[in-house]
Amino acid sequence: TMHTLLADTLELPRTYEPVQYGERKYVAVWAGNIALEPCGPYPPEGYLSTDFEAMFYGLTFAAWESAEASARALDRRGIGHAEPTDTLRIEDDDLKAPNVYVGIGWGVEDDGLRAARAAFEASGGGPLGVVRVDEIRIGYSDEVNLRKWAAFLQPHERVGARAYRVAEGPVLRFKEHDVKQVLGITLKVRSLETAVLFLREEGLLGEQAADSVTLDRARAHGIRIQLRE
């Protein structure tokens, strides 16, 4: 499972232990600047394609001030949303899609997150030497979709024609694609050479380039995870 890969093989510390609601299980690991949260299984209905073993589905951002302030900001930008609860779910068809959830959470740092941060620092990012999630690549379907993302991400720094750095989090880089969904992530590592040695030993080594490497897609359940210094 993705949980086994992230927590046991790559040794990214859990921010909370696995919990189960109905048939669905949830867990999260800390990756230096954001949490990665494997959860499932999800029913196959509702997706544009069911030909996947795992996928990056949800993008949850931390609120800058409060639920109410976030809701007002979305209203000013013409972005549809649900009523705030434990999260503020985006309900705008020009932004969300069957293959991607977009929401805003409240960014509460509890004991589990503090412990995971400390464990991550103490381990040096595990055997891969992970520093942080450097980039998330997101597919967009058309210019309307891209403009809505631009409105949603204001006033975060624009770092390219279709890329934004979200506070201390990763760069969100948008790529034209036939499906609106997360296409993959890039992890920054301390040493690419050390990471390659570990991946080769674990049978996880995928495609290699001069300045990057990917995890083997089959071992990563079809998800694209790239590493670079």
Side-chain angles (χ1 to χ4, degrees), residues 42-227:
Y42 283 83
E45 297 82 11
Y47 300 106
L48 295 181
S49 168
T50 59
D51 185 24
F52 61 87
E53 184 176 346
M55 66 187 297
F56 288 113
Y57 174 65
L59 292 165
T60 302
F61 299 80
W64 190 258
E65 294 180 16
S66 66
E68 293 75 16
S70 293
R72 289 194 297 271
L74 292 172
D75 290 340
R76 289 194 297 271
R77 299 173 197 195
I79 298 174
H81 59 84
E83 288 299 314
T85 56
D86 54 338
T87 60
L88 182 58
R89 190 175 67 253
I90 303 303
E91 292 288 3
D92 195 305
D93 289 336
D94 290 329
L95 193 60
K96 72 176 183 70
N99 281 31
V100 62
Y101 162 91
V102 183
I104 299 174
W106 313 138
V108 177
E109 182 164 318
D110 58 16
D111 291 342
L113 180 53
R114 282 189 286 271
R117 287 178 184 269
F120 182 87
E121 293 300 323
S123 72
L128 281 182
V130 175
V131 178
R132 63 176 182 265
V133 177
D134 215 27
E135 182 175 290
I136 299 175
R137 291 174 297 284
I138 302 170
Y140 72 93
S141 58
D142 52 39
E143 290 301 315
V144 173
N145 182 206
L146 188 61
R147 286 196 297 270
K148 190 58 67 89
W149 269 112
F152 178 76
L153 292 170
Q154 292 176 3
H156 292 290
E157 178 189 7
R158 192 165 181 169
V159 293
R162 298 179 179 89
Y164 299 82
R165 182 176 300 282
V166 181
E168 297 177 359
V171 168
L172 302 186
R173 191 173 301 280
F174 294 88
K175 180 179 180 180
E176 192 168 5
H177 197 263
D178 56 351
V179 178
K180 293 188 283 188
Q181 65 181 36
V182 177
L183 303 175
I185 66 172
T186 298
L187 303 177
K188 179 178 175 60
V189 296
R190 300 179 193 281
S191 166
L192 193 60
E193 181 180 1
T194 299
V196 167
L197 289 174
F198 172 77
L199 294 176
R200 184 175 286 120
E201 290 173 359
E202 294 292 326
L204 285 166
L205 185 61
E207 299 173 358
Q208 289 184 264
D211 60 351
S212 67
V213 64
T214 60
L215 271 66
D216 179 80
R217 294 288 288 272
R219 290 289 308 279
H221 306 283
I223 287 179
R224 181 173 177 80
I225 302 176
Q226 182 187 57
L227 311 178

